[in-house]
Amino acid sequence: MRTNLNIRLIILLVALFLGTAPFRAFAQSIVGVCGLDDGLVRVTQQPAFYLEFVDTTIEGDKISVIKGIHAKNGAKERLDIDMRGTPDAAKANSCGMGFLLYTGTIIKPTSSAITLLHIPHKFMLGEGIQGEENTDLKDVSDANTQQEEEKPIVDKIEVGEEKIDGHPCSIYSITVTYKDDRKVTGKIWEANDYGDLKPYLKVILDQPNGQKVYELHNLKIGEPDEGWFEIPEGYAGIADVMELMR
């Protein structure tokens, strides 16, 4: 069915021309593979929210930045990913694949899935069955369950306070220890003005050659603007992504 074919084709082409690291990095920020982003997972589990994210990888003098938005209102969901700040963006442009660097997906029960290609202002409509199980989201859920089963030991030490976008946050140094004695270290900025949700507005994950930094901005818990679940004005429909490669 074209719903999954369009989305999977985009992911496949990005993987071929940019490598799979950016997608793995973004998946980790949602799934919580490293045990440092429980506060991010709590946000994505809410029935309705809007957020903007920045995922930065620093390795020596190399910096890769992935940005985007994530909006949800019940069964309606939108995820945009902007990979124009990654080192391999130039490679994609030179191969005529630049239209894959900034994409979005809208899923809602009242229509077929919508794939947005923001750079040429195009969109594709899927032909899947409404309400069909999204296997890509199921993969994320399975990974989340696996993470919970590991039950690592998390040690938190408060080391300071700081405001992010006007939100007061407590800063914690965190060490996560797994059953195999593997340890992961980092810092979190836990917001104190969202009630019991305690979202992490910033996470720094220490890595052997640098750091990964996850940031949430303009976080709103509650129903986002309905416009996020509609095709943007001025976008022209195409039947298949291959039309842009002719």
Side-chain angles (χ1 to χ4, degrees):
M1 292 179 232
R2 183 161 290 174
T3 296
N4 286 332
L5 285 177
N6 281 338
I7 296 172
R8 292 179 184 280
L9 179 57
I10 288 176
I11 293 175
L12 175 61
L13 291 175
V14 171
L16 289 174
F17 284 88
L18 299 182
T20 58
F23 280 94
R24 288 199 305 268
F26 180 65
Q28 287 178 7
S29 73
I30 296 177
V31 175
V33 171
C34 296
L36 282 168
D37 51 2
D38 293 342
L40 303 183
V41 174
R42 285 196 293 272
V43 171
T44 60
Q45 290 174 338
Q46 298 302 302
F49 64 85
Y50 170 87
L51 63 85
E52 298 166 11
F53 64 85
V54 182
D55 177 352
T56 304
T57 302
I58 304 170
E59 295 180 345
D61 59 350
K62 295 181 179 179
I63 300 178
S64 177
V65 180
I66 301 173
K67 299 180 179 181
I69 69 101
H70 192 180
K72 181 180 178 183
N73 188 4
K76 294 178 287 188
E77 195 158 3
R78 173 167 170 175
L79 177 64
D80 287 20
I81 300 180
D82 183 352
M83 301 174 66
R84 291 175 292 179
T86 61
D88 290 326
K91 183 194 301 183
N93 285 321
S94 66
C95 295
M97 308 291 287
F99 59 87
L100 295 176
L101 293 171
Y102 188 15
T103 64
T105 302
I106 300 173
I107 298 176
K108 52 185 180 178
T110 57
S111 70
S112 300
I114 302 166
T115 300
L116 303 174
L117 302 170
H118 292 302
I119 295 176
H121 286 190
K122 305 291 185 181
F123 72 89
M124 298 179 291
L125 293 178
E127 295 176 352
I129 300 173
Q130 295 178 11
E132 176 187 14
E133 180 181 33
N134 188 311
T135 56
D136 295 322
L137 295 181
K138 183 176 183 296
D139 291 342
V140 171
S141 177
D142 289 346
N144 222 345
T145 300
Q146 182 180 2
Q147 169 69 9
E148 292 175 358
E149 290 175 351
E150 290 186 16
K151 296 182 180 179
I153 298 172
V154 179
D155 295 314
K156 294 173 58 176
I157 300 175
E158 188 168 359
V159 295
E161 297 178 349
E162 184 180 358
K163 286 187 176 182
I164 295 181
D165 294 342
H167 299 284
C169 299
S170 297
I171 307 172
Y172 293 92
S173 176
I174 289 188
T175 300
V176 182
T177 305
Y178 292 90
K179 288 184 178 180
D180 59 2
D181 292 329
R182 177 172 53 93
K183 294 182 184 291
V184 177
T185 61
K187 288 184 180 180
I188 61 168
W189 278 248
E190 185 179 87
N192 297 317
D193 59 347
Y194 285 88
D196 294 333
L197 184 61
K198 298 290 185 181
Y200 298 171
L201 298 189
K202 184 176 180 179
V203 177
I204 294 181
L205 170 63
D206 298 324
Q207 295 189 314
N209 299 321
Q211 291 181 327
K212 289 193 66 64
V213 182
Y214 306 107
E215 300 171 80
L216 299 187
H217 296 282
N218 296 320
L219 172 61
K220 174 188 176 182
I221 303 301
E223 296 183 3
D225 190 304
E226 280 298 302
W228 287 111
F229 308 108
E230 302 297 334
I231 298 168
E233 185 176 353
Y235 280 51
I238 58 175
D240 195 281
V241 69
M242 301 304 291
E243 290 185 26
L244 303 177
M245 302 175 64
R246 293 169 184 166

